[in-house]
Every structure is written in structure tokens, then in C-alpha cells.
Amino acid sequence: METIIEQLIADFHERPLPSLTRRYAQLPFLTGKIDTVIGMRRSGKTWFLFQVMSELLAKGVPKESILYLNLEDERLLPMQASDLHLIPDVYFRCYPHLRDIPCTFFFDEIQNIPGWQRFLRRLLDTENVHICITGSSAKLLSTEIATSLRGRSITTEIFPFSFLEYLRHHGIEVGEGRRPGARKRALIENRLRAYLLGGGFPEVQGIEDEYRVRILQDYLNVVILRDLVERYGISNTVALRYLIRHLMNAPACPFSVNKFFNDLKSQGISCGKNTLHEYMANLSDAYLFFQVLIHTRSERARMVNPRKIYVIDTGLINACSRSPRPQWGHLLENFVFMELRRLQETIEYYKTASGREVDFVVTDRKGRKFLIQVTAEIDKPTTRSREIKALEEAMKELAVSKAVVVTLSHEEHLKTEAGLIHVLPAWLWALSLRNFFDELG
């Protein structure tokens, strides 16, 4: 085992780091904390580690002071907890002069080794190292990490490419918050629709539609089998798959366990309500779906009202869709949610006193509230009236003076009795999102 570890260390230091598309996520690198990178399978966690290594090298950190090991490497199997101490032992035997300077250890899929938690805690306490780990959401969830590492970790989430990252991956450089010229704008608008259909999983970029769909469906099957069925011991796979198909085909829609329970019953599928609640929690833990609650001061109202469900990636929605045509409105709303979710702000939906719905009430870390409505098109008078009236009522009830309507391509600015409403094309909204709250606030 020592010989294998030494060979892997030498191989890593000899190989150049791969070229990659830079992600906007950053590791906190706090003293005394283990950086933990989590997210759905195939979303790019390992490549994000390579990005962090590249940034360290750019700052002048010697590569020898960086250690990267993929614990899924078959040459390390069957590694046991009693073998983990060999990693720092072999490393510092190879580089004894580095024991006196800060080093950074990256461990990929470390959850495959039993007893990894105690090893990391001891390593953090006894050596001058900063530790970064990744793992599939099947065995490395943020709640478990906090428990296993006793508060010694801090998590960073990695999602499929955002729209800005997607453009960068395809060689389309844009300045954040800056309007492109007419030619580039046409290209960006075209790429937005492609992004809504194909999604942002790194591996499927540039792949033909037929193979992309098959790969994304394989992702979903792996999540079902490994992250849900195996992990939680789910035996009622018929109900679970029926639930997933239902949610995939109704993104950005309200979901009620009670109504779905009755639907299952009518189909002759047996599954208890409590079990369905557990399934929904499991699906959220696996980063497959996200639940958005209603904005209200009443905790009871938050619990009894339906949740709106969003999917981690619009490409997955299309890969599982039964509709022959793209549902642009639902895809766009799901897209807006995921762009907001990456910012880790509080996201809710809102019902006005008259029953009109506003898609998103976003509360930032400063406590400011922002209203966002999403509609693919706003040209039809009935659609325009419905969306604007809902925003006006919500603006008055929540004392918000500015709001945004995100569309596929329309742009205008409306002065209303309740305040200013910005109607923005989704591509422009997404590219200026990182400055969005400060500008709107």
C-alpha cells in the first residue's frame, strides 16, 4: 500500500493540471476548518478541486506542497481506516522539508473509506495542512459532515454550469453587467435557448441530442439506485420512480403530498403519506429537486401550503419530458430559480391577498426583499395584465418599490403606482445577476 501511495503522489506531481472552465464558486479556506465540496453527481466537483489547485499554483504555491488523491482509485482498494495514516506518512517521507510549511491536501470521494472522519480530524489537529474533500451526495451530505467532523468543516456547493459558466465553456466571453453588441447579443440569445434545452452538466456539453438525453437519463438512474434506493433502503421503487417522473414533468409547479398520495391511490400504487414526505427529503438531499415554501409569517401556513418544486438542471427536465414541445415558461422559471439558488439567498414564493402569485420573493443577507416574476412572453395583453398586477399587489403588500419580470427576450421599464418594474430578457438578467441586488436595492 505504501508503494502505491508513493506512486500516486509522484504521478500527480508529474502530471500537468487539466485545462478547465473556471467556476465562480470559491473555497473559504478558513483556518481550522475542512473545506467540503458537495453537490449532485457529475456536476464538476473534482474539476473544481483542480481549479483551486491551479489558483494556488498561480499564487506561487509549490506543487509539491499540494497533495491530491482520488480514493476511488482501484489501486488503493481495499483501503481501510487503519491504512489512512500511511498517506501523510508517505507524503512527508517523500518531502520532509514541507513539514514546516503549510500544505494543502485534496481528498476525492474519501467517504468510501470507513473511518475517514477520525483520520481527518487527527490530521487537521496534528499536521500543518489545510484539507479539502469532495464526495457524492450519496454518502457525504452537509448535515452528516457537520456531525461527523464535529463542526470542523465548512461546505461549498457545486452545481452544473450556470449560464455565465456555460458561455465561458463554449468560448463566449462576456463582461458581467455590460451590454454586448448586436451580433454577440443574437449569439447569446441563441445560446440561452440551447442552455434551457441542454442544461449545464459539464460532460454533455457539445454532445449530440440523442446521446445527451441518454447520458442525462443515466445520471438520473444512478441517483435513484445509489443515492436513494441503496442509501435509504427504499423498497417501494415503483412509487419513488412515479414521484420522480411526476416532478420532472411539472417543474416550477406547486406540489402537495396529499394530492399526490390520492393520485397514487387512484393508480393502484400503495405508498403512505409519511413515506412520500421522506422521499421528498431524500430527493432534496441528493440535490435532484429543491423545494420552495410560501413567504408568510405563519409557520403553520408555510407547512400546509403546497411547495413549488424545481429541478437541478433544465437538461434533466427535457431528458425526462413527455411533452413533444419545450415548455419555455417552466424551463425559464426553473432557470431563474437555479441562478438564484447558486447565490444562497433565501428564496420563497408569494400569494397576494387576492390570490395572485409572485414566483420569487428573494431575501438577501442584508434583509432586503426583491420580487421576481417569470414569464416566457409578455406580449399578450392577458399575460401582461396578470403578471404586472400580481407584482403591483405584492409590491404594495410587502413595501417593495422595485421589481423584475424575467422574459425570454422582451425588455422595458414600467412606472406603476406601486413602483418601478424592470422587464428584462433572461440572458441580460443572468449576466448582471451578481450586481443585481445592489443595483435593484
Side-chain angles (χ1 to χ4, degrees):
M1 184 65 72
E2 293 186 43
T3 303
I4 294 173
I5 293 173
E6 185 173 347
Q7 183 62 56
L8 292 175
I9 293 173
D11 288 346
F12 167 69
H13 288 146
E14 184 179 272
R15 289 193 310 266
L17 293 177
S19 58
L20 45 80
T21 299
R22 187 170 66 85
R23 311 299 291 270
Y24 280 93
Q26 289 185 330
L27 292 184
F29 259 82
L30 299 180
T31 302
K33 293 287 187 180
I34 296 172
D35 276 305
T36 307
V37 180
I38 60 175
M40 184 178 159
R41 294 175 180 274
R42 312 306 299 170
S43 56
K45 298 185 294 293
T46 298
W47 287 79
F48 175 65
L49 290 190
F50 291 142
Q51 173 182 316
V52 176
M53 296 175 210
S54 297
E55 292 169 350
L56 290 174
L57 296 180
K59 294 177 181 177
V61 174
K63 191 173 183 180
E64 290 76 13
S65 69
I66 299 172
L67 168 64
Y68 168 78
L69 283 180
N70 180 359
L71 278 305
E72 277 194 326
D73 193 312
E74 79 283 354
R75 290 171 290 181
L76 291 173
L77 300 178
M79 180 175 265
Q80 303 297 324
S82 57
D83 299 320
L84 287 170
H85 74 92
L86 296 174
I87 296 174
D89 291 349
V90 172
Y91 174 79
F92 286 118
R93 188 167 66 230
C94 293
Y95 305 105
H97 61 286
L98 295 179
R99 195 178 283 272
D100 297 326
I101 69 170
C103 296
T104 308
F105 287 7
F106 295 88
F107 297 120
D108 213 350
E109 301 294 345
I110 193 172
Q111 81 286 342
N112 291 317
I113 311 300
W116 60 271
Q117 304 95 327
R118 293 188 182 90
F119 165 70
L120 290 186
R121 290 199 302 267
R122 181 180 63 78
L123 186 61
L124 189 66
D125 290 335
T126 59
E127 301 290 352
N128 187 14
V129 298
H130 186 83
I131 302 171
C132 305
I133 63 174
T134 76
S136 66
S137 50
K139 296 183 179 178
L140 202 63
L141 303 177
S142 57
T143 51
E144 294 173 332
I145 294 165
T147 302
S148 300
L149 298 178
R150 299 176 185 174
R152 304 293 297 277
S153 69
I154 185 167
T155 60
T156 298
E157 295 175 314
I158 294 296
F159 300 98
F161 286 146
S162 68
F163 184 53
L164 194 55
E165 292 166 342
Y166 167 87
L167 291 177
R168 174 177 288 163
H169 181 80
H170 289 277
I172 305 171
E173 290 294 337
V174 293
E176 289 186 73
R178 296 204 308 268
R179 288 179 178 271
R183 180 178 297 180
K184 182 168 280 190
R185 170 175 175 159
L187 175 62
I188 293 173
E189 287 180 337
N190 173 269
R191 299 314 298 171
L192 173 67
R193 290 177 181 263
Y195 177 80
L196 291 178
L197 293 174
F201 277 100
E203 187 182 24
V204 301
Q205 301 306 309
I207 293 181
E208 294 180 16
D209 289 349
E210 176 190 354
Y211 299 112
R212 172 179 52 78
V213 168
R214 286 165 57 180
I215 291 171
L216 291 174
Q217 289 175 347
D218 285 344
Y219 287 178
L220 183 59
N221 287 329
V222 171
V223 169
I224 293 172
L225 293 175
R226 296 194 61 186
D227 295 358
L228 298 172
V229 174
E230 290 181 10
R231 172 177 176 73
Y232 296 106
I234 294 175
S235 57
N236 193 348
T237 57
V238 173
L240 176 64
R241 288 184 179 274
Y242 195 92
L243 173 62
I244 292 173
R245 285 199 301 270
H246 173 83
L247 296 176
M248 281 291 180
N249 282 274
C253 293
F255 174 80
S256 166
V257 166
N258 289 336
K259 291 180 66 175
F260 184 74
F261 169 79
N262 293 328
D263 183 31
L264 282 181
K265 193 174 181 180
S266 69
Q267 300 292 325
I269 301 174
S270 176
C271 187
K273 291 182 182 179
N274 289 339
T275 301
L276 289 175
H277 281 292
E278 291 175 2
Y279 288 174
M280 289 299 297
N282 298 156
L283 290 167
S284 296
D285 285 343
Y287 278 83
L288 189 57
F289 297 105
F290 300 90
Q291 304 181 49
V292 173
L293 279 65
I294 193 169
H295 176 81
T296 176
R297 293 181 178 179
S298 168
E299 189 61 30
R300 182 181 180 279
R302 286 171 63 84
M303 294 298 103
V304 300
N305 273 276
R307 285 96 185 277
K308 294 186 71 174
I309 307 299
Y310 296 93
V311 186
I312 189 170
D313 184 71
T314 54
L316 272 179
I317 296 173
N318 287 304
C320 301
S321 176
R322 295 190 292 263
S323 174
R325 297 179 180 177
Q327 303 296 308
W328 292 113
H330 289 165
L331 292 176
L332 188 62
E333 186 175 335
N334 202 101
F335 161 79
V336 170
F337 169 80
M338 283 307 304
E339 293 288 319
L340 292 169
R341 177 63 180 79
R342 290 179 177 90
L343 298 180
Q344 296 186 323
E345 311 291 359
T346 301
I347 308 171
E348 301 163 306
Y349 74 94
Y350 185 70
K351 283 286 186 72
T352 68
S354 66
R356 300 181 188 274
E357 183 176 304
V358 172
D359 295 321
F360 301 112
V361 179
V362 183
T363 306
D364 72 2
R365 295 165 193 176
K366 298 179 181 178
R368 298 175 298 179
K369 286 184 172 56
F370 304 88
L371 303 181
I372 302 175
Q373 195 75 307
V374 183
T375 180
E377 306 292 343
I378 201 171
D379 298 331
K380 293 181 180 179
T382 53
T383 303
R384 185 183 183 88
S385 175
R386 180 183 68 244
E387 307 297 348
I388 298 302
K389 283 184 178 179
L391 273 182
E392 285 184 295
E393 289 182 14
M395 291 166 73
K396 291 176 181 178
E397 293 174 11
L398 298 176
V400 175
S401 61
K402 295 180 183 178
V404 172
V405 179
V406 179
T407 70
L408 274 176
S409 57
H410 190 78
E411 181 177 3
E412 66 175 304
H413 303 279
L414 305 173
K415 290 184 179 180
T416 71
E417 292 182 0
L420 185 62
I421 298 177
H422 301 276
V423 182
L424 298 176
W427 65 267
L428 179 60
W429 175 81
L431 297 187
S432 59
L433 183 56
R434 295 185 178 274
N435 301 318
F436 169 74
F437 295 110
D438 290 332
E439 292 177 359
L440 202 60

